[in-house]
């Protein structure tokens, strides 16, 4: 059930009415039923996968929680009787007991993800390297498997680390894992945060509902009016790399940057808006990423929950793990302080970016994309002293115009790396980027040839207006803590309603949907 | 609370009004181009009092002149035809028509027997959009939809036609709440001539057997007519393209014989009807022009009176008065088309194209 399908609109409408008609204590149960229906819509057989992850994670977390509770109670009662070593040994014993459950559950669920998502990729590489002819297994990918697996494993790690309490109610935990607005493309919520509102009872709050509807309408606008319209041109350009080189590659970088942003943030707007109409708050996943001045800032603004997941659950634990600490010490001793301190950070970075690339898809283009991000991140880190000197020597570079230049530079740099996602082929991607410097064609993209990309003059006009609106909304968000809805709400109820209606009609009329349009999934559905 | 309800109702009212407005604006009007898109809706202004109802595809609405049939025989008739009308659409149109009136005879053109499954969204729209909402329309939509279509887009055509925003013209504004009179009891008049130069060859088919769905709906048409006490006549119009195979002919003859139905294949009666494809077609033999359609009306009118006993209503002053107005409009359009032909060399306002363009 795509967010942009008629079925979803009807499903959401029905659920919304029931949510506020039924007694409040039934609300979370209704959301669980709704999530099950939403998930089953993609295929009943997929319920088994998410079911296994839900049950095993819940059970392991409950066991871990129970061991910790019993152990801690015993420890508190008897710690006075134990000396320091005994206390340490006792705590280690508890940790050991919980680690068995933790590792078993982690390996099982990451194993399911790995087998389903990456087996064919491994087979493909084995076939290529050893000229073998192993048949592909072609597993059907359960909807949102990467998202719900990461969400569940995040919860398991938090319980294991004593940062979250195990949820004793399986049904409530099932709702956390399968909460339907998030299942397709995140955000990858943390249990502690989401559970605060997910299981709470929510009264009918018109203000909150209007806010949610506004966000949903804006999400649909970005997805259907901008992203899906641009998709036509992106497909044309990406489909004939031999024909569209040079300046066209610059054009596709620009178009894809807009399309991906409108598509992904549009989906997240719908997700967050849907949560809001049910009174459930979710964290932001994007905060004006294209206004980032460098790659590090970019990754704190783009797909934030994924970035923090990798940081909290892979980067930091890896950096402070025993082998890495030993390596760090060894490096400092043998390579000097400056190099030594970098070794473990860079290794952790490489692992994280490799995993991030692989998370996006089982293909070399995603892995290379991840590693390129790693290279740029490391290069930025290495060049920091140079930047400091540069800014000190030229104080003018701390002013606004230089910030704009930095945003411009980061936008195109990230766009150029993202080209690997466009062509889905590593050599082609590099060849195409290379053609920017070897092939001209700048005249073509400013001529009537641009109409051959499947978009008409009126389409470009709609896109231009849509992009201007997106930029305006982003500028407001960049300059203030809250989003533009606060400004609209300040103008009164009529203004909010008028904006919602205007967006709805803009989507209905200018949206790229229905017969004649190639219905497209949200891009991040595939990850 | 009261204020809140009023606000919600007001917002919904604005939404509904806006939706309705944009839907009216964006739906195609079929005023000067593809005017057959208005044929189905045209019936509701002329429903009732017809002796004969023709149902079928373009071989019906372009090949027979009901006005000529009235002038020569006093037979009142209407053609419920539409472009590439599929047999299930014919059935549901007939079902709907029989809710409005009970004619003596229903004539069904059998060309659509060759289709056994939904074909084309654009043609579906030409038939289905014009129908008024009824269980017949719902049935017809469900039977006709291709995989890419959704039922909801028939309920709310804005969802289908929203992309027309970039091609809106003055016509869309002018005809938002009205339409133009263009047809003569479902007949689409063309007076121009484009003779047959080559006859289409009969490309062999792998399977000549009509499909089970086609037969199912032919059975339904037959049963419906029997139930309503209406005589069903099967017809194959005298269009030479698309080709009509002997194997198809045999199946229809067998069906007619088995069900006690009259069947006339006009392709075998060209000389008797007087059809001359040098003068009686406007598009190489696909459809007849006015001259051909009137010849068909003369022959068929006589047949209907002699074989089916249809009465002559010309002496009924009430009916005659109503039909006189139709006759006047008919001849007025005929004269106007001849004027345009003389002035421009083609039917500029009636869907014609300059000869050089047509020759492409």
């Amino acid at each position: 059930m795509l967010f942009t399908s008629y079925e979803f609109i009807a499903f959401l409408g029905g659920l919304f009415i029931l949510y506020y008609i039924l007694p409040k204590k039934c609300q979370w149960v209704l959301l669980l039923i709704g999530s099950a229906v939403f998930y089953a819509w993609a295929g009943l057989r997929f319920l088994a996968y998410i079911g296994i992850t839900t049950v095993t994670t819940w059970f392991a977390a409950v066991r871990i929680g129970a061991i910790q509770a019993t152990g801690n109670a015993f420890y508190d009662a008897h710690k006075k009787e134990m000396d320091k070593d005994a206390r340490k040994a006792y705590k280690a014993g508890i940790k050991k007991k919980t680690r068995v459950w933790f590792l078993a559950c982690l390996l099982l669920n990451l194993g399911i993800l790995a087998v389903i998502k990456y087996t064919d990729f491994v087979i493909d590489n084995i076939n290529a390297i050893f000229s073998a002819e192993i048949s592909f297994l072609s597993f059907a990918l359960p909807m949102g498997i990467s998202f719900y697996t990461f969400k569940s494993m995040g919860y398991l790690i938090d319980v294991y680390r004593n940062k979250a309490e195990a949820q004793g109610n399986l049904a409530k935990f099932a709702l956390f894992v399968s909460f339907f607005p998030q299942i397709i493309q995140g955000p990858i919520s943390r249990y502690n945060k989401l559970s605060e509102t997910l299981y709470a009872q929510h009264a009918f709050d018109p203000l909150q509902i209007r806010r949610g509807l506004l966000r949903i309408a804006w999400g649909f606008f970005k997805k259907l009016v901008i992203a899906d319209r641009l998709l036509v041109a992106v497909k044309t350009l990406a489909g004939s790399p031999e024909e569209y080189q040079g300046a066209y590659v610059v054009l596709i970088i620009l178009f894809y940057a807009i399309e991906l942003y409108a598509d992904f943030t549009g989906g997240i707007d719908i997700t967050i808006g849907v949560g809001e109409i049910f009174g459930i708050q979710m964290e932001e996943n994007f905060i004006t990423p294209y206004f980032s001045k460098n790659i590090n800032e970019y990754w704190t603004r783009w797909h934030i929950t994924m970035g923090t997941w990798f940081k909290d659950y892979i980067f930091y634990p890896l950096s402070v793990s025993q082998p890495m600490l030993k390596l760090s010490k060894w490096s400092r001793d043998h390579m000097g302080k400056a190099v030594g301190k970098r070794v473990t950070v860079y290794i952790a970075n490489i692992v994280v970016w490799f995993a991030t690339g692989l998370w996006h898809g089982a293909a070399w283009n995603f892995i290379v994309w991840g590693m390129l991000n790693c290279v740029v991140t490391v290069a930025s880190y290495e060049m920091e002293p140079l930047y400091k000197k540069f800014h000190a020597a030229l104080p003018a570079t701390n002013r606004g115009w230089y910030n704009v230049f930095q945003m411009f530079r980061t936008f195109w740099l990230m766009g150029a790396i993202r080209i690997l996602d466009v062509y889905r082929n590593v050599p082609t991607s590099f060849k195409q980027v290379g053609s920017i410097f070897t092939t001209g064609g700048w005249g073509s993209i400013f001529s009537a040839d641009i109409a051959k990309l499947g978009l008409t003059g009126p389409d470009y006009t709609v896109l231009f207006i849509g992009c201007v609106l997106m930029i305006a909304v982003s500028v407001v968000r960049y300059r203030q803590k809250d989003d533009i809805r606060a400004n609209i709400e300040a103008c009164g109820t009529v203004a909010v309603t008028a904006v919602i209606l205007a967006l709805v009609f803009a989507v209905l009329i200018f949206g790229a949907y229905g017969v004649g349009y190639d219905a497209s999934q949200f891009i991040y559905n595939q990850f | 609370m009261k204020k809140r309800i009023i606000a919600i109702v007001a917002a919904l009212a604005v939404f509904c009004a806006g939706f309705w407005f944009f839907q009216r604006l964006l739906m195609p009007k079929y005023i000067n181009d593809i005017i057959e898109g208005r044929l189905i809706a045209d019936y509701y202004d002329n429903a009732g009092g017809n002796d004969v109802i023709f149902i079928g595809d373009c071989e019906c609405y372009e090949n027979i002149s009901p006005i000529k049939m009235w002038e020569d025989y006093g037979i009142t008739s209407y053609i419920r035809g539409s472009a590439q009308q599929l047999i299930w659409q014919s059935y549901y149109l007939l079902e709907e028509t029989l809710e409005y009136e009970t004619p003596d005879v229903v004539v069904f053109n059998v060309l659509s027997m060759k289709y056994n499954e939904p074909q084309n969204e654009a043609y579906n729209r030409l038939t289905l959009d014009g129908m008024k909402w009824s269980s017949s329309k719902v049935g017809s939509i469900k039977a006709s939809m291709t995989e890419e279509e959704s039922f909801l887009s028939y309920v709310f055509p804005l969802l289908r036609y929203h992309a027309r925003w970039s091609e809106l013209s003055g016509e869309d504004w002018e005809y938002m709440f009205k339409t133009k009179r263009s047809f003569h009891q479902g007949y689409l008049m063309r007076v121009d001539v484009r003779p047959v130069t080559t006859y289409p060859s009969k490309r062999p088919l792998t399977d000549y057997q009509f499909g089970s769905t086609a037969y199912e709906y032919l059975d339904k048409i037959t049963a419906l007519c029997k139930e309503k006490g209406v005589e069903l006549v099967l017809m194959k119009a005298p269009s030479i393209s698309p080709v009509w195979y002997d194997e198809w002919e045999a199946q229809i003859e067998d069906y007619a014989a088995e069900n006690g139905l009259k069947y006339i294949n006009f392709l075998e009666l060209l000389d008797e009807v007087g059809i001359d494809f040098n003068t009686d077609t406007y598009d190489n033999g696909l459809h007849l022009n006015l001259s051909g359609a009137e010849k068909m009306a003369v022959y068929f009118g006589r047949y209907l009176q002699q074989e089916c006993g249809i009465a002559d209503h010309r002496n009924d002053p009430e009916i005659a008065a109503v039909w006189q107005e139709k006759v006047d409009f008919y001849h007025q359009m005929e004269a106007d088309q001849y004027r345009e032909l003389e002035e421009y060399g083609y039917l500029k306002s009636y869907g014609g194209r300059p000869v050089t363009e047509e020759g492409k």
Side-chain angles (χ1 to χ4, degrees):
Chain A
M1 203 189 303
L2 283 174
F3 278 179
T4 49
S5 65
Y6 301 134
E7 291 87 359
F8 180 72
I9 308 283
F11 164 79
L12 190 61
L15 203 66
F16 177 79
I17 291 166
L18 286 174
Y19 192 78
Y20 289 109
I21 284 177
L22 292 175
K24 289 194 186 77
K25 62 180 179 183
C26 301
Q27 285 178 331
W28 73 266
V29 180
L30 183 70
L31 288 179
L32 176 62
I33 295 167
S35 298
V37 170
F38 182 84
Y39 204 84
W41 204 271
L44 275 172
R45 65 202 164 118
F46 294 135
L47 279 173
Y49 292 103
I50 196 170
I52 289 169
T53 298
T54 304
V55 173
T56 56
T57 311
W58 170 77
F59 188 71
V62 166
R63 287 302 309 143
I64 291 168
I67 292 167
Q68 285 170 344
T70 317
N72 290 342
F74 183 86
Y75 178 82
D76 289 342
H78 298 89
K79 67 179 173 185
K80 285 179 184 170
E81 300 156 20
M82 293 188 267
D83 60 18
K84 197 180 172 187
D85 288 341
R87 284 179 193 173
K88 206 174 169 186
Y90 185 79
K91 279 193 172 178
I94 296 174
K95 198 79 183 166
K96 199 178 171 187
K97 280 182 189 170
T98 56
R99 190 180 296 137
V100 174
W101 288 105
F102 168 68
L103 286 177
C105 184
L106 194 74
L107 290 174
L108 172 73
N109 285 290
L110 291 181
I112 292 173
L113 177 67
V115 168
I116 290 176
K117 197 167 173 180
Y118 302 106
T119 304
D120 282 353
F121 176 60
V122 173
I123 291 173
D124 192 30
N125 282 290
I126 290 172
N127 285 348
I129 295 166
F130 301 106
S131 302
E133 287 182 356
I134 305 168
S135 302
F136 291 115
L137 298 179
S138 303
F139 288 114
L141 211 56
M143 183 171 74
I145 186 168
S146 301
F147 287 100
Y148 74 68
T149 304
F150 271 44
K151 210 160 93 168
S152 309
M153 293 307 99
Y155 161 76
L156 184 73
I157 296 168
D158 285 347
V159 172
Y160 176 67
R161 286 183 187 165
N162 251 320
K163 288 186 176 173
E165 264 186 46
Q167 170 57 262
N169 187 326
L170 175 60
K172 281 191 172 177
F173 180 66
L175 173 60
F176 167 72
V177 177
S178 65
F179 185 43
F180 74 91
Q182 290 189 325
I183 199 82
I184 295 177
Q185 53 188 349
I188 306 168
S189 287
R190 303 295 174 89
Y191 177 78
N192 275 349
K193 272 197 174 176
L194 187 60
S195 60
E196 282 172 13
T197 58
L198 190 60
Y199 310 127
Q201 296 182 6
H202 302 283
F204 186 87
D205 178 356
L207 191 73
Q208 181 68 19
I209 290 164
R210 268 202 304 274
R211 274 182 74 84
L213 289 175
L214 190 54
R215 187 91 188 237
I216 293 171
W218 178 235
F220 272 102
F221 179 87
K222 284 199 276 188
K223 167 67 177 161
L224 290 173
V225 178
I226 301 172
D228 284 1
R229 177 166 270 104
L230 258 181
L231 173 74
V232 179
V234 170
K235 269 189 171 177
T236 308
L237 287 165
S240 306
E242 294 295 329
E243 189 181 347
Y244 297 112
Q245 297 199 334
Y248 282 110
V249 180
V250 176
L251 195 66
I252 200 171
I253 289 173
L254 175 68
F255 279 5
Y256 190 64
I258 299 169
E259 188 211 338
L260 186 65
Y261 176 79
D263 186 283
F264 196 8
T265 64
I268 291 294
D269 285 332
I270 296 171
T271 295
I272 292 176
V274 167
E276 284 177 344
I277 64 170
F278 292 116
I280 295 160
Q281 304 299 324
M282 282 174 258
E283 57 273 67
E284 290 294 339
N285 213 22
F286 293 88
I287 300 175
T288 58
Y290 288 159
F291 291 163
S292 305
K293 294 190 278 294
N294 56 58
I295 188 168
N296 286 322
E297 186 186 355
Y298 176 85
W299 280 110
T300 59
R301 291 173 172 276
W302 178 280
H303 208 342
I304 299 165
T305 56
M306 183 200 69
T308 52
W309 197 98
F310 277 108
K311 205 189 288 174
D312 292 348
Y313 299 124
I314 296 185
F315 185 83
Y316 291 141
L318 191 64
S319 301
V320 297
S321 64
Q322 284 300 324
M324 288 294 261
L325 289 176
K326 280 180 190 166
L327 179 65
S328 176
K329 190 175 180 302
W330 185 88
S331 309
R332 283 168 199 259
D333 292 345
H334 292 82
M335 290 184 267
K337 204 178 169 187
V339 177
K341 75 171 185 182
R342 284 174 167 80
V343 170
T344 50
V345 175
Y346 289 175
I347 289 175
N349 248 311
I350 290 167
V351 170
V352 163
W353 281 113
F354 181 83
T356 307
L358 209 56
W359 182 86
H360 277 82
W364 280 108
N365 63 292
F366 289 116
I367 294 170
V368 174
W369 169 86
M371 297 324 291
L372 279 177
N373 271 285
C374 182
V375 167
V376 178
T377 308
V378 169
S380 300
Y381 179 76
E382 288 297 335
M383 288 169 76
E384 219 160 80
L386 206 65
Y387 286 139
K388 277 182 183 165
K389 280 183 191 169
F390 172 71
H391 290 303
L394 294 169
T397 57
N398 295 316
R399 288 185 199 142
W401 64 266
Y402 191 74
N403 288 346
V404 174
F405 162 73
Q406 286 176 309
M407 291 173 191
F408 180 82
R409 180 194 61 189
T410 308
F411 175 85
W412 286 102
L413 179 63
M414 298 313 294
I417 296 174
R418 211 182 287 121
I419 204 107
L420 283 151
D421 185 22
V422 175
Y423 293 106
R424 303 275 165 121
N425 180 292
V426 179
T428 305
S429 301
F430 280 104
K431 196 176 145 196
Q432 290 297 98
V433 173
S435 78
I436 296 172
F437 307 101
T438 55
T439 314
W442 291 94
S444 297
I445 64 167
F446 296 110
S447 71
D449 287 356
I450 202 166
K452 291 176 187 166
L453 303 179
L455 298 177
T456 61
D459 281 324
Y460 283 111
T461 307
V462 168
L463 279 173
F464 178 75
I465 294 168
C467 288
V468 167
L469 282 174
M470 263 198 322
I471 292 168
V473 168
S474 297
V475 167
V476 173
R477 181 70 179 89
Y478 190 73
R479 288 186 171 172
Q480 63 188 33
K481 279 188 178 173
D482 206 350
D483 62 35
I484 198 168
R485 289 182 298 175
N487 307 57
I488 300 169
E489 280 157 8
C491 299
T493 309
V494 175
V496 178
T497 311
V499 174
I500 293 172
L501 285 174
L503 284 171
V504 168
F505 282 118
V507 170
L508 281 171
I509 295 167
F510 302 116
Y513 66 90
V515 174
Y517 290 100
D518 187 10
S520 99
Q521 285 211 344
F522 284 90
I523 295 172
Y524 259 73
N525 284 18
Q526 306 151 34
F527 298 149
Chain B
M1 187 66 185
K2 199 177 168 189
K3 253 183 161 182
R4 192 180 291 168
I5 291 169
I6 291 171
I8 292 170
V9 170
L12 285 175
V14 171
F15 173 76
C16 292
F19 194 96
W20 176 77
F21 175 84
F22 287 118
Q23 184 159 287
R24 298 290 303 194
L25 177 64
L26 289 162
M27 278 190 75
K29 312 298 181 295
Y30 303 120
I31 297 300
N32 291 316
D33 199 20
I34 322 175
I35 64 170
E36 47 272 59
R38 281 186 288 128
L39 275 166
I40 294 298
D42 182 72
Y43 170 73
Y44 305 108
D45 295 332
N46 300 281
N50 292 298
D51 300 319
V52 180
I53 293 289
F54 295 89
I55 51 168
D57 49 23
C58 57
E59 292 195 356
C60 272
Y61 69 78
E62 304 216 53
N63 286 353
I64 300 161
S65 165
I67 302 297
K68 181 68 176 170
M69 211 176 271
W70 162 260
E71 283 183 319
D72 285 16
Y73 302 101
I75 295 173
T76 57
S77 63
Y78 193 94
I79 304 169
R80 289 223 79 182
S82 53
Q84 205 190 68
Q85 189 181 103
L86 303 170
I87 189 165
W88 38 92
Q89 294 168 345
S90 301
Y91 167 74
Y92 286 110
L93 278 171
L94 177 63
E95 186 183 70
E96 184 202 42
T97 307
L98 296 183
E99 291 295 316
Y100 286 86
E101 58 186 308
T102 307
D104 297 325
V105 173
V106 163
V107 179
F108 171 61
N109 188 59
V110 293
L111 179 67
S112 60
M113 282 294 289
K114 70 179 189 167
Y115 298 114
N116 198 49
E117 51 200 33
Q119 296 291 309
N120 181 302
E121 192 263 347
Y123 280 112
N124 281 347
R125 289 284 172 178
L126 295 180
T127 298
L128 300 169
D129 277 346
M131 283 179 82
K132 282 189 175 175
W133 279 101
S134 65
S135 60
S136 301
K137 177 163 178 165
V138 172
S140 193
I141 292 170
K142 285 184 173 172
S144 304
M145 278 197 304
T146 55
E147 273 184 19
E148 62 177 344
E149 294 177 74
S150 71
F151 186 83
L152 201 65
S153 69
Y154 282 95
V155 180
F156 303 112
L158 174 66
L159 303 178
R160 168 64 183 88
Y161 296 113
H162 65 97
R164 288 193 68 248
W165 63 269
S166 60
E167 55 194 62
L168 286 179
S169 66
E171 184 181 291
D172 288 293
W173 294 96
E174 188 182 346
Y175 291 97
M176 230 172 126
F177 302 108
K178 64 178 184 183
T179 190
K180 187 177 167 185
R181 191 176 179 188
S182 303
F183 312 111
H184 310 276
Q185 296 296 100
Y187 168 64
L188 198 158
M189 182 192 288
R190 286 284 294 258
V191 301
D192 46 341
V193 180
R194 193 168 163 219
V196 173
T197 48
T198 51
Y199 282 79
S201 58
K202 287 191 174 178
R203 190 169 47 86
L205 303 180
T206 50
D207 185 9
Y208 293 93
Q209 180 65 39
F210 290 139
S212 57
T213 310
Y215 269 119
E216 180 194 333
Y217 279 95
L218 186 56
D219 285 342
K220 281 184 164 189
I221 290 172
T222 306
L224 184 63
C225 287
K226 274 186 185 156
E227 182 195 325
K228 297 281 182 178
V230 179
E231 182 172 7
L232 176 64
V233 174
L234 303 181
M235 164 185 98
K236 169 64 191 84
S239 292
I240 57 166
S241 180
V243 292
W244 181 250
Y245 292 92
D246 295 339
E247 292 82 354
W248 292 352
E249 174 68 9
Q251 289 173 69
I252 294 296
E253 283 175 0
D254 289 348
Y255 185 89
E258 280 166 21
N259 290 277
L261 303 176
K262 294 185 175 74
Y263 169 54
I264 320 164
N265 180 353
F266 283 100
L267 284 168
E268 293 174 353
L269 296 170
L270 293 175
D271 290 338
E272 286 86 338
V273 178
I275 300 291
D276 177 355
F277 280 114
N278 287 312
T279 57
D280 295 336
T281 172
Y282 73 88
D283 55 5
N284 263 327
L286 264 79
H287 309 107
L288 301 180
N289 58 17
L290 180 64
S291 161
E294 289 196 337
K295 287 176 184 174
M296 274 290 290
V298 170
Y299 184 93
F300 213 165
R302 186 165 60 241
Y303 176 89
L304 287 167
Q305 238 163 30
Q306 289 174 355
E307 302 296 327
C308 304
I310 307 292
D312 183 345
H313 300 292
R314 282 176 292 183
N315 292 327
D316 183 326
E318 207 174 309
I319 299 174
V322 172
W323 276 76
Q324 187 55 49
E325 191 275 334
K326 297 175 195 283
V327 170
D328 291 345
F329 174 61
Y330 179 79
H331 290 299
Q332 188 189 319
M333 183 182 282
E334 180 186 4
D336 194 52
Q337 288 204 4
Y338 279 119
R339 179 194 60 76
E340 277 203 0
L341 261 186
E342 199 170 320
E343 193 174 337
Y344 304 109
Y346 72 103
L347 294 176
K348 196 179 177 186
S349 330
Y350 295 93
R353 291 200 182 101
V355 178
T356 48
E357 220 176 288
E358 284 197 348
K360 278 179 188 174

